[in-house]
Amino acid sequence: MRTALAAFCTAILAGTTVVPAAAQSSQSAYQRAFADRVANPGNTSALSTFINVAVEAGQYDQALSTIEQHLINYPLDAKAHLVAARLYNHVGSYDLSARHLEFALEIGTLEERDRRAAERLLRTVERAIAGISGYLDLTAGVRSESIDFAPTAPWADRTDINGFLLATGQLRFDLDTSTNNAIVLSGKIGTRRRFGDFNFDGVGGVYTAPHGTLAATLDIGLPTEMLPTLRGQLTVYGSHETFDAGLYRRIYGVMARLTALPTADSFVYVEAGYGWLGESAAPLLEDNRVSFEAGATYRIVGSHTIGIAGRGQIDYLNGFGRVGHLYEVELSYAGQVHAFTDGPVWTQQAGLAYGDVQVPNIVLGPAFPYVGDYWLTYWTHSLQIDENNRIDLDLTYRETTYSNLPIRNQSKFDVSLSYTVSLH
């Protein structure tokens, strides 16, 4: 496990070295793509390559002006109209996006794959114009979980390989206001198989774990002179998660969140919430939960972003008081690895987190909690094949140490591979 950890961390470091390299080569890639477009003014592939590079560099105005100039010279280029429609949809100009899609379909020269993509995007844009937008993602995958317990643990180390299913969706209803206020309904439901001894009774096993969440959010603009991009979200939700045979956690809660874009390259947020766990199945000890989180991201170059976040939760038991907590700080990176011409986009995310935990003691009672800390690292790759299909590869390593219960110390390495179909 230690050798695997070393290889995993080395791989993450190797993968994320794309950031300084991208910072050095971004401008030259932009210049090469621009020169190729100028040298081949009627070539839609050269145009698409330049658009991809411009978008990655954050040059949306340049991308839009370039595609519009191209269409002045080549007004019957249906593929270029489709490229323009995607750009306008991305920046929220749905009327212009619909206009270009209608032109592209009327011209009638799109390849079958592009024609189907244009028709799907047109339906999405028309719903957005009507004030309704949404998606449904259907995911199926396989997950491998390798657990290395403390040497004195009463059960053997193990590796479990199991499949999982997940469906996530969202509907957004525009309230037709100047600040783009909306009501958002969202939800997810899934099931997975996993190993654990979640009630700390000394007996572990593999269990089917269904889980799901339903939420309703009021999303409103709160612009101020200092932060014209300030937005607020107020969410009510309910969630259910199964841990073990007859053991599950059910939460009904409310959460408030503020977000802002201080600059074109930065994003900040802060949130706080409360959850009631009174309908969870015994022997869980917590009845109430307070949660909080704050973080920020900054785009360093092109599509490459770094971030920092701090989060926590505190659990309480009626008649006793505080019984558990989790505090975590995380550093992260996200960026595009490669964009294939008129094809898939390959992106990655990587992060490192450290946390402090206090877990209620099911056997001895809340006065004798398990106290420990953990650190984890993750590396995720996504291959967006097209607008409706995506492949994800996720790797996570976590090491947990309990200061007053060394028998529970463990390290865990997870790998999952999944395929997602997105319906709009």
Side-chain angles (χ1 to χ4, degrees):
M1 183 66 72
R2 302 287 180 178
T3 303
L5 170 62
F8 180 45
C9 291
T10 300
I12 288 183
L13 292 174
T16 54
T17 54
V18 70
V19 180
Q24 295 171 3
S25 64
S26 177
Q27 187 61 28
S28 60
Y30 183 90
Q31 292 171 343
R32 287 195 302 271
F34 180 79
D36 188 37
R37 185 187 70 82
V38 173
N40 303 277
N43 188 313
T44 306
S45 293
L47 172 69
S48 296
T49 298
F50 173 73
I51 295 297
N52 287 336
V53 174
V55 169
E56 182 181 358
Q59 301 290 335
Y60 292 102
D61 290 343
Q62 182 64 46
L64 288 168
S65 63
T66 298
I67 194 70
E68 291 292 2
Q69 181 60 48
H70 176 87
L71 288 170
I72 290 175
N73 298 326
Y74 303 93
L76 298 182
D77 188 339
K79 184 62 177 290
H81 279 289
L82 177 56
V83 172
R86 286 170 170 159
L87 276 171
Y88 279 117
N89 176 62
H90 184 75
V91 299
S93 297
Y94 301 119
D95 289 329
L96 289 173
S97 179
R99 187 181 307 169
H100 282 287
L101 289 167
E102 290 166 354
F103 286 160
L105 293 168
E106 287 174 5
I107 292 168
T109 57
L110 288 174
E111 296 180 359
E112 181 61 21
R113 175 181 173 180
D114 290 332
R115 184 189 63 79
R116 292 196 302 268
E119 290 175 345
R120 288 194 301 267
L121 182 56
L122 182 57
R123 290 193 294 268
T124 299
V125 169
E126 287 175 341
R127 288 194 297 269
I129 292 173
I132 302 175
S133 59
Y135 67 86
L136 175 63
D137 286 354
L138 304 175
T139 300
V142 61
R143 175 173 175 261
S144 172
E145 180 184 56
S146 298
I147 305 177
D148 182 0
F149 287 99
T152 56
W155 49 77
D157 300 342
R158 61 186 297 133
T159 296
D160 295 301
I161 300 177
N162 291 288
F164 63 90
L165 298 171
L166 180 66
T168 62
Q170 182 184 100
L171 276 177
R172 183 181 179 91
F173 300 90
D174 190 352
L175 298 180
D176 195 22
T177 61
S178 60
T179 54
N180 297 318
N181 297 347
I183 293 175
V184 182
L185 304 179
S186 59
K188 68 177 181 179
I189 185 171
T191 187
R192 60 190 175 217
R193 295 274 289 173
R194 63 181 184 179
F195 174 84
D197 175 21
F198 301 103
N199 62 1
F200 280 58
D201 64 359
V203 180
V206 177
Y207 302 95
T208 300
H211 56 95
T213 301
L214 289 174
T217 300
L218 175 62
D219 180 8
I220 59 176
L222 302 168
T224 66
E225 184 175 346
M226 181 176 297
L227 288 173
T229 60
L230 182 65
R231 299 195 65 82
Q233 292 91 34
L234 181 64
T235 300
V236 293
Y237 68 92
S239 70
H240 175 96
E241 182 177 13
T242 299
F243 292 97
D244 202 330
L247 179 64
Y248 60 84
R249 175 177 288 124
R250 187 171 294 163
I251 307 177
Y252 300 103
V254 60
M255 180 174 294
R257 178 181 175 97
L258 292 174
T259 67
L261 299 167
T263 69
D265 297 316
S266 60
F267 172 77
V268 297
Y269 69 93
V270 60
E271 67 181 37
Y274 166 78
W276 178 67
L277 298 87
E279 288 194 2
S280 298
L284 296 180
L285 292 180
E286 57 270 34
D287 292 317
N288 302 276
R289 170 171 294 172
V290 174
S291 61
F292 46 89
E293 182 172 347
T297 62
Y298 180 75
R299 187 177 67 177
I300 51 178
V301 60
S303 62
H304 302 281
T305 300
I306 56 175
I308 185 171
R311 60 185 64 92
Q313 67 182 41
I314 304 173
D315 293 335
Y316 298 89
L317 177 64
N318 291 336
F320 181 86
R322 178 170 167 169
V323 293
H325 69 249
L326 179 150
Y327 305 125
E328 181 180 281
V329 61
E330 176 189 10
L331 300 175
S332 62
Y333 156 77
Q336 181 173 290
V337 179
H338 185 69
F340 300 89
T341 302
D342 292 334
V345 177
W346 176 14
T347 60
Q348 68 172 340
Q349 295 182 359
L352 180 67
Y354 171 79
D356 176 84
V357 293
Q358 177 178 304
V359 182
N361 190 324
I362 303 297
V363 178
L364 299 179
F368 303 93
Y370 305 127
V371 179
D373 58 16
Y374 67 88
W375 67 272
L376 68 86
T377 183
Y378 62 87
W379 193 19
T380 299
H381 286 261
S382 294
L383 184 64
Q384 190 74 44
I385 301 172
D386 54 33
E387 294 176 348
N388 300 93
N389 297 274
R390 186 181 78 247
I391 297 173
D392 293 309
L393 174 65
D394 300 290
L395 302 94
T396 304
Y397 177 84
R398 172 172 172 150
E399 191 163 298
T400 305
T401 303
Y402 292 97
S403 60
N404 61 345
L405 190 65
I407 197 173
R408 299 293 311 197
N409 296 348
Q410 62 178 267
S411 57
K412 186 166 66 172
F413 183 56
D414 291 349
V415 181
S416 70
L417 180 65
S418 63
Y419 185 88
T420 298
V421 175
S422 185
L423 307 176
H424 296 275

